[in-house]
Amino acid sequence: MLDEALKGEIQAAYRRVLEAQGLTPRYGQRLMIAEIARTLSAIEVDDDGKRLSDEHVCVLEAGTGTGKTLAYLLAGLPVAKARGKRLVVATATVALQEQVLHQDLPTLKAHSGLDFSYALAKGRGRYLCLTRLEQALDGVEGNPTLSLFEQSLAQSGGDHFQALAQEMADAYGSGRWEGDRESWPVSIDDTDWRRLTIDHRQCTNRRCGHFAACAFFRARRDLETADIIVANHDLVLADLSLGGGVVLPPPGDCIYVFDEGHHLPDKALTHFAHRVGVNGMLRWLGNLKKSLTELNQALAVQPTLARLLAALPGIIAALEPRLGEAFSLGHQLAGRLHGLEEGEENHQFRFPMGRVPDALREHAGALLVGVAELSRTLETMTGILRESLDPDKHTGLEREQAEAWLPLLALLHGRALEAHGLWEAYAEPDTQGEPPRARWLTLERFGADPELTFSASPVSAAPTLARTLWGSCFGAVVTSATLTALGRFERLQERAGLANRYRYQRLPSPFDYSRAVLSVPRQAVDPGDRDAHERAIIDFVSELGEREAVLMLFSSRAQLRAVEKALPAAWRERVLAQDKLPKRELIERHRARVDAGEGSVIFGLASFAEGIDLPGEYLTHVVITRLPFAVPDDPVGATLAEWIESQGGNPFMRISVPDASIKLVQACGRLIRKEADQGRITLLDRRVLTRRYGRALLEALPPFRREIDGFETT
């Protein structure tokens, strides 16, 4: 229960922040604070502080202007400290992460009276590796054969790279730079950065000679004492996939806040997918085979390593022809016996319901056996090399040799593990009664070289999230402006594995939505008639006011370009098209035009329906050319739709309509960003009036004033 002392601490902190900033309490914000505090403080624990209760998650939809960040920080921090836990705030975008880190947390610390520390958590690959930097300054690679496997490392970089390395060494040594990629004053080329960083498998941790000065472990030490850790969804998921507690604290010691929580299911799917290019795998196996002489010369002095190295030629020899057969079989199944046809850039073939033919399944099983043996061999070898770095361990291998070869073998082990995950997904049948995995082939070219990539992915992240995240954490808050679909949480529950017993609430918005008009004008037509719909859009654009600030959202790049091309020359000059300018530059130009008293029209695609913040006069009219239905033609979506249909369901009503509802709310949300904002939202898709799902889509929108065919309705 929320005791009076904790309740008083939260209320006093809230009051101090409001007074310091001259703000008035917001009803939705107060409700959010109360709901989070009640949920987290009611978690029952055993004598060791381990969670016993299973109503430890609250899911809160809170629209723009609610003040979500302040609410979850004010409620979550005091409870987390009282329970001896850490508050991990995870965002989906860099923009929100920077806002939390550089605006919200400093404000809270300055005005709330709460005593706390906070730190940013990033993956190892975002930090400089001092060993790699030292090698770059000396003009040598850490290992003479590493560039065979990381082609980017084979590029010397010349004077430019040497100058960059020296500049970084000076900045880091003097304390002017903390060693992370984001804080370097200029953009760093990916090729250069890969030469200066490593992943968790290649890192030697405490056994590294630079451990005390390491940028990553310096940041880790800050995390060990921080009350609040700012991360992103990807880092939390990556940590969970490694078992938890590797980069972040163990899940059982964490209260997670997932801001922009509607992104979490899609982010999770990418972490559980596998893909392997056959020729790519053959290349790195071939390079490993070529390196065996050097590996033996360097490592075979150690008896176990000598035995393992002696086994590698046989393992590789067994895998190579099987991979060649997989390449041929994949082309046969994809209907491209001779590769891509003339003019084809790529070709994708999806296995219906994710079911692969018996021949491919059996072949994947044979590959799985070989890859498993390779993975075990490389894992044992890297383990010996790591032990050889410990001065208290006597493995019979010199530290210098182990340090030189560990990054290469760790890299290969990572590639073998990814191949193992892929071939396992093709070899093993799906669980009866559960959604299948999506499985598909992609034929493409890299330069003049053909490639066949095998891919596999679960169609839902729900089971894994339920087990590894919700089931293992101490507590969690999921929040966003758009968590419900058609006004309900069921779609999110289904995608994110959130149980019915958790607490769900939609919080009232502080905005007066009657200041905006939602219009379906006479020009709106059914997009099924493509030409008529395109003409309707062109006519509508031509009638826009000269000084309007407009965001026009298109569902396809082809239609955006066609409309822009068909406009009169004078109108084309007023249009800022997403496919012609970088996003930041486009927004800056739009703002400059509005500041100058001119009209400006942005033509944007789906990505502009979310995350664009143009308050006040910078945006007075949002035009949605078409209801945002996503055609489930990607392999994952198509496989899920097939499975739902096989169970007697309707994938359009179960997936397409709810997802369109979320996207429509997000698109409409671009207009009202501040309490004084006003304007118009226009839908140029008549299906919202003529189809049976149209009413449900409209009712899920905020209570805008309605205008149909030029007449205001109630």
Side-chain angles (χ1 to χ4, degrees):
M1 294 293 292
L2 183 62
D3 62 52
E4 289 302 316
L6 195 54
K7 183 177 179 181
E9 182 182 9
I10 294 170
Q11 290 175 339
Y14 185 40
R15 186 169 56 252
R16 284 190 288 265
V17 172
L18 294 179
E19 289 173 356
Q21 296 189 286
L23 302 173
T24 56
R26 300 175 186 176
Y27 179 57
Q29 190 177 55
R30 295 203 315 269
L31 285 179
M32 186 171 181
I33 292 171
E35 186 66 23
I36 293 171
R38 276 197 299 266
T39 300
L40 299 180
S41 61
I43 298 172
E44 298 175 4
V45 298
D46 62 17
D47 293 340
D48 297 322
K50 185 178 179 181
R51 174 175 56 81
L52 295 173
S53 54
D54 58 3
E55 296 179 1
H56 57 297
V57 180
C58 65
V59 183
L60 304 171
E61 182 176 84
T64 304
T66 303
K68 293 187 289 293
T69 310
L70 179 61
Y72 62 64
L73 290 174
L74 274 170
L77 174 61
V79 176
K81 292 188 73 173
R83 309 306 295 266
K85 306 300 177 183
R86 319 280 289 287
L87 190 68
V88 177
V89 177
T91 70
T93 61
V94 173
L96 181 56
Q97 186 181 62
E98 290 180 346
Q99 177 194 310
V100 172
L101 193 69
H102 300 303
Q103 297 177 36
D104 300 318
L105 282 169
T107 298
L108 188 69
K109 193 171 179 67
H111 303 303
S112 67
L114 298 174
D115 180 26
F116 65 93
S117 59
Y118 59 90
L120 173 65
K122 292 187 286 192
R124 201 173 316 236
R126 310 306 297 174
Y127 290 94
L128 175 76
C129 171
L130 292 178
T131 299
R132 287 275 179 100
L133 179 64
E134 184 179 60
Q135 293 161 358
L137 291 172
D138 292 341
V140 297
E141 299 292 355
N143 181 281
T145 62
L146 194 56
S147 61
L148 289 170
F149 302 90
E150 293 180 329
Q151 291 301 318
S152 61
L153 297 182
Q155 301 171 15
S156 66
D159 294 339
H160 157 75
F161 180 72
Q162 287 298 116
L164 175 65
Q166 187 61 59
E167 190 179 356
M168 285 182 167
D170 294 341
Y172 190 72
S174 65
R176 290 182 286 108
W177 179 45
E178 295 182 354
D180 63 307
R181 185 174 183 177
E182 284 71 23
S183 66
W184 188 251
V186 296
S187 176
I188 305 172
D189 183 79
D190 286 344
T191 300
D192 291 337
W193 184 251
R194 280 196 294 270
R195 298 182 64 186
L196 295 167
T197 190
I198 53 174
D199 64 24
H200 72 279
R201 292 188 185 89
Q202 296 170 307
C203 180
T204 58
N205 298 338
R206 296 180 182 276
R207 293 158 177 161
C208 175
H210 296 290
F211 177 76
C214 175
F216 173 72
F217 283 103
R218 276 184 178 177
R220 279 290 301 274
R221 287 188 280 275
D222 291 338
L223 293 186
E224 289 171 5
T225 58
D227 299 302
I228 299 176
I229 297 171
V230 181
N232 58 38
H233 294 185
D234 287 313
L235 185 61
V236 172
L237 292 164
D239 187 61
L240 292 172
S241 69
L242 294 171
V246 177
V247 178
L248 300 170
D253 294 336
C254 292
I255 292 174
Y256 294 106
V257 176
F258 290 99
D259 204 339
E260 303 173 307
H262 60 285
H263 286 293
L264 188 61
D266 287 331
K267 294 274 188 183
L269 273 181
T270 64
H271 281 268
F272 309 143
H274 298 283
R275 63 193 308 270
V276 168
V278 175
N279 277 339
M281 187 172 177
L282 282 168
R283 276 193 296 275
W284 67 258
L285 283 173
N287 286 332
L288 173 58
K289 187 163 57 175
K290 292 175 185 176
S291 304
L292 287 175
T293 301
E294 291 173 84
L295 281 163
N296 274 290
Q297 289 172 349
L299 306 179
V301 294
Q302 206 277 348
T304 305
L305 288 175
R307 176 176 57 81
L308 294 169
L309 283 166
L312 279 175
I315 297 172
I316 297 170
L319 280 171
E320 286 178 324
R322 286 175 180 156
L323 285 167
E325 291 165 16
F327 191 81
S328 300
L329 182 56
H331 278 78
Q332 179 183 331
L333 293 171
R336 293 291 190 277
L337 285 173
H338 304 292
L340 292 171
E341 296 177 354
E342 190 174 346
E344 265 190 323
E345 292 184 4
N346 57 68
H347 174 73
Q348 190 177 89
F349 173 80
R350 181 181 63 84
F351 295 100
M353 285 286 285
R355 294 175 185 147
V356 298
D358 289 343
L360 178 56
R361 183 173 53 79
E362 291 169 7
H363 197 76
L367 278 164
L368 180 61
V369 172
V371 170
E373 188 177 3
L374 178 63
S375 298
R376 287 192 299 269
T377 301
L378 292 169
E379 182 178 22
T380 305
M381 293 176 73
T382 56
I384 294 171
L385 295 186
R386 288 184 192 283
E387 284 195 1
S388 301
L389 299 174
D390 190 334
D392 296 329
K393 301 281 180 69
H394 302 287
T395 64
L397 184 69
E398 294 293 328
R399 176 189 174 93
E400 290 74 17
Q401 292 289 62
E403 199 165 38
W405 288 94
L406 178 60
L408 173 61
L409 291 175
L411 174 71
L412 295 174
H413 182 221
R415 293 191 176 184
L417 285 175
E418 176 63 14
H420 185 277
L422 184 281
W423 298 119
E424 185 177 49
Y426 271 75
E428 292 187 350
D430 293 312
T431 304
Q432 194 70 27
E434 291 187 8
R437 275 173 287 202
R439 299 173 177 89
W440 69 98
L441 310 174
T442 308
L443 280 69
E444 50 199 329
R445 290 190 186 92
F446 293 103
D449 299 325
E451 181 59 287
L452 172 67
T453 301
F454 285 79
S455 301
S457 171
V459 297
S460 172
T464 307
L465 286 176
R467 183 181 70 257
T468 63
L469 177 54
W470 317 125
S472 64
C473 70
F474 182 81
V477 176
V478 182
T479 188
S480 172
T482 47
L483 291 179
T484 59
L486 302 174
R488 298 186 295 273
F489 286 100
E490 282 89 339
R491 179 70 176 132
L492 178 68
Q493 290 176 304
E494 179 182 55
R495 299 183 67 223
L498 291 158
N500 287 328
R501 63 179 178 273
Y502 300 155
R503 300 171 72 98
Y504 298 85
Q505 190 168 350
R506 298 180 71 191
L507 302 170
S509 171
F511 295 152
D512 178 7
Y513 286 104
S514 67
R515 296 173 64 86
V517 174
L518 176 68
S519 168
V520 185
R522 292 188 180 89
Q523 293 99 320
V525 299
D526 190 320
D529 186 340
R530 183 175 175 177
D531 291 339
H533 186 235
E534 204 166 281
R535 286 195 302 273
I537 297 171
I538 295 165
D539 291 344
F540 186 82
V541 172
S542 302
E543 294 172 9
L544 288 170
E546 289 186 4
R547 297 186 183 277
E548 282 194 81
V550 183
L551 171 61
M552 181 166 279
L553 296 169
F554 290 83
S555 61
S556 80
R557 192 179 302 273
Q559 190 175 63
L560 183 155
R561 289 173 174 169
V563 170
E564 184 187 15
K565 185 178 180 181
L567 288 172
W571 255 106
R572 284 201 299 275
E573 292 176 4
R574 290 178 56 188
V575 170
L576 296 167
Q578 180 183 350
D579 63 340
K580 290 185 176 179
L581 291 169
K583 192 173 187 177
R584 180 175 294 181
E585 183 179 348
L586 186 150
I587 296 298
E588 288 174 355
R589 288 196 190 184
H590 174 82
R591 285 174 172 268
R593 288 182 179 183
V594 174
D595 288 339
E598 304 170 2
S600 181
V601 180
I602 295 173
F603 278 15
L605 297 166
S607 62
F608 271 55
E610 184 180 1
I612 297 294
D613 193 21
L614 293 168
E617 295 301 314
Y618 290 119
L619 184 59
T620 56
H621 195 169
V622 174
V623 182
I624 301 166
T625 60
R626 183 180 183 137
L627 291 174
F629 287 114
V631 180
D633 55 357
D634 68 284
V636 175
T639 303
L640 177 60
E642 282 178 342
W643 183 76
I644 291 172
E645 214 163 43
S646 74
Q647 303 297 303
N650 182 335
F652 181 74
M653 296 305 295
R654 185 167 159 182
I655 302 174
S656 299
V657 174
D659 288 357
S661 173
I662 294 172
K663 291 174 183 175
L664 189 60
V665 171
Q666 289 170 342
C668 292
R670 295 314 94 208
L671 183 66
I672 305 293
R673 310 299 298 172
K674 304 286 184 184
E675 290 184 5
D677 286 355
Q678 58 186 335
R680 175 177 290 268
I681 298 165
T682 300
L683 285 173
L684 293 177
D685 188 335
R686 189 155 289 272
R687 290 177 299 177
V688 78
L689 303 177
T690 60
R691 301 294 173 89
R692 62 190 180 95
Y693 54 75
R695 178 179 291 275
L697 291 175
L698 289 175
E699 288 178 351
L701 295 175
F704 304 115
R705 299 194 335 261
R706 302 277 179 85
E707 190 180 277
I708 308 298
D709 292 338
F711 297 96
E712 191 159 329
T713 64
T714 56

